[in-house]
Amino acid sequence: METKILKPDDLNIMLCAKRLKEGELVAFPTETVYALGAIATDADAVKKVFEVKKRPLDKPLIVAVASKSDIQKVVKSIPDKAQVLIDKFMPGALTLVLDRADIIPDVVTAGSDSVAVRIPDNEVAKKLIALSGAPVVVPSANTADKPSPTLSSHVKDDLDGQIGYILDGGASDIGIESTIVDARTEPPTVLRAGGVSVEQLKKAIGEVKTKREETKPKYMPNAEVMFSAYYDGMTDNICARYDNIVKSGKTAVIICLDSSRASYGNRKVYTVGSNYRDYAHNLFAMLRKADGEHYDAVIAEGVKPDEDLADSLVARLIKLSGGIII
Ligand code: AMP
Ligand code: MG
């Protein structure tokens, strides 16, 4: 099967919706990362998603709907705090875990009686889901050994020949996954920190429980990833580490914010932008780039606690570095 990258005009979105309705898979942009979609109520189509992604069947998929009123179709009930979160953060990078409605098959939820649901904040995604007339599963459009794709070309690199179409929506806005909140517990439990920060959640509904994420990384870049703690003198420490690696005959690249670029002199650097949103947005792409350019080591700058998205970035960097903090 030839994999075509399509311009996301109405005709192509209709073509992809038709494809989904026929039980096939389509990749499309969301504001977090590119998704590999299948109709969530079609168990056979959903099974193909697990096969193509090489995803273990015990890892449930997130279901996306196109509008707030469609959430009711995939869940049994919506507790008050869940409704507040829906009103405040949807569409957006928030996923809620709620009691699953009977139309969602076991394969989607790995047999759990809960379902994870979100509304992507992306016009192409919303149009596609609305036109397909059903909820759509939206795991990231990469194989299990690769980082989440933030460009259509990443999807093509990973899934070429395995899916018919990729709708091209340019670069994903946020570049990290959605925040997942189990809204069936009191207080609600943050299962994964992502595009909506824990601070934002607390502001909306008060207390939340946080559960430590599993630290086993899904994707290990070929390069060794080191992640610096954040403190005064961080850049000096990173320079010293870099110089040691280079002295030992290996190559390294530093991932940093624009503002600290100058601290690294003529060492190899990838700048990720001016703030932590940009850092989150560009992190996965930079790791792919480092692998593409065959660096032996990647040293990622630490992030200041309590800033916007700091939690989510630290969680990801800890996973990617396998806990190696310098
Ligand atoms: P990914 O598609 O890789 O972003 O992963 C989806 C995430 O959603 C995984 O961490 C799943 O464990 C989580 N998830 C999906 N469905 C459920 C559910 N019903 N209950 C709890 N977590 C879920
Ligand atoms: Mg993923």
Side-chain angles (χ1 to χ4, degrees):
M1 181 185 330
E2 190 198 347
T3 302
K4 285 197 184 124
I5 296 184
L6 301 177
K7 219 173 39 185
D9 58 24
D10 286 351
L11 215 59
N12 283 335
I13 296 176
M14 271 160 58
L15 175 69
C16 288
K18 180 166 170 280
R19 191 95 174 181
L20 286 174
K21 286 193 214 173
E22 290 165 355
E24 296 299 328
L25 314 186
V26 168
F28 57 93
T30 78
E31 81 282 23
T32 56
V33 298
Y34 274 74
L36 179 61
I39 298 286
T41 52
D42 180 342
D44 290 333
V46 173
K47 277 182 202 143
K48 285 188 211 162
V49 171
F50 283 91
E51 281 161 24
V52 165
K53 277 182 66 69
K54 305 194 184 84
R55 182 179 176 109
L57 280 162
D58 62 0
K59 195 168 169 207
L61 300 176
I62 294 173
V63 170
V65 295
S67 69
K68 292 181 193 179
S69 56
D70 284 348
I71 293 175
Q72 292 160 24
K73 297 180 185 162
V74 299
V75 306
K76 284 223 164 90
S77 61
I78 302 179
D80 292 345
K81 285 185 183 172
Q83 191 60 51
V84 172
L85 294 176
I86 290 168
D87 291 339
K88 195 147 180 95
F89 298 111
M90 291 193 184
L94 179 70
T95 296
L96 289 181
V97 173
L98 293 165
D99 286 329
R100 126 170 110 134
D102 298 335
I103 60 161
I104 301 297
D106 276 341
V107 61
V108 171
T109 70
S112 160
D113 56 5
S114 65
V115 63
V117 60
R118 83 179 198 95
I119 307 173
D121 189 12
N122 176 290
E123 290 311 311
V124 175
K126 278 192 291 195
K127 262 193 206 169
L128 177 68
I129 297 165
L131 281 172
S132 72
V136 171
V137 294
V138 286
S140 52
N142 54 286
T143 46
D145 55 340
K146 291 284 172 55
S148 301
T150 52
L151 287 173
S152 59
S153 62
H154 297 158
V155 180
K156 192 158 161 91
D157 287 347
D158 289 358
L159 304 182
D160 201 15
Q162 302 206 68
I163 59 174
Y165 301 121
I166 304 167
L167 281 167
D168 185 7
S172 306
D173 290 338
I174 301 185
I176 57 173
E177 296 99 333
S178 60
T179 296
I180 304 178
V181 175
D182 188 341
R184 299 169 310 156
T185 62
E186 181 46 47
T189 309
V190 181
L191 301 178
R192 175 173 84 184
V196 171
S197 68
V198 173
E199 286 312 307
Q200 285 174 293
L201 294 172
K202 283 185 182 161
K203 237 183 241 167
I205 54 166
E207 196 193 343
V208 293
K209 281 192 276 193
T210 51
K211 199 179 138 194
R212 255 195 169 288
E213 284 188 75
E214 183 204 340
T215 52
K216 190 173 132 275
K218 282 186 291 187
Y219 157 72
M220 270 313 244
N222 297 324
E224 182 183 8
V225 178
M226 288 163 242
F227 153 53
S228 173
Y230 182 91
Y231 55 96
D232 288 342
M234 169 179 80
T235 56
D236 291 341
N237 180 39
I238 290 176
C239 287
R241 187 53 81 105
Y242 178 102
D243 294 344
N244 270 334
I245 294 168
V246 171
K247 220 183 276 165
S248 73
K250 293 187 180 162
T251 58
V253 62
I254 298 163
I255 293 184
C256 69
L257 291 180
D258 297 348
S259 52
S260 42
R261 169 72 191 89
S263 312
Y264 301 114
N266 57 7
R267 296 174 182 85
K268 300 279 188 226
V269 158
Y270 295 151
T271 52
V272 287
S274 61
N275 56 41
Y276 292 151
R277 288 232 155 226
D278 294 342
Y279 195 160
H281 174 84
N282 290 316
L283 176 63
F284 286 132
M286 292 304 169
L287 292 171
R288 278 184 186 258
K289 189 167 160 189
D291 274 352
E293 295 180 354
H294 306 293
Y295 280 107
D296 299 312
V298 173
I299 311 175
E301 267 190 346
V303 295
K304 194 169 173 183
D306 302 327
E307 299 263 313
D308 187 29
L309 285 186
D311 289 346
S312 316
L313 259 171
V314 167
R316 253 153 211 78
L317 286 165
I318 287 180
K319 260 195 191 181
L320 287 161
S321 65
I324 306 178
I325 299 175
I326 62 167

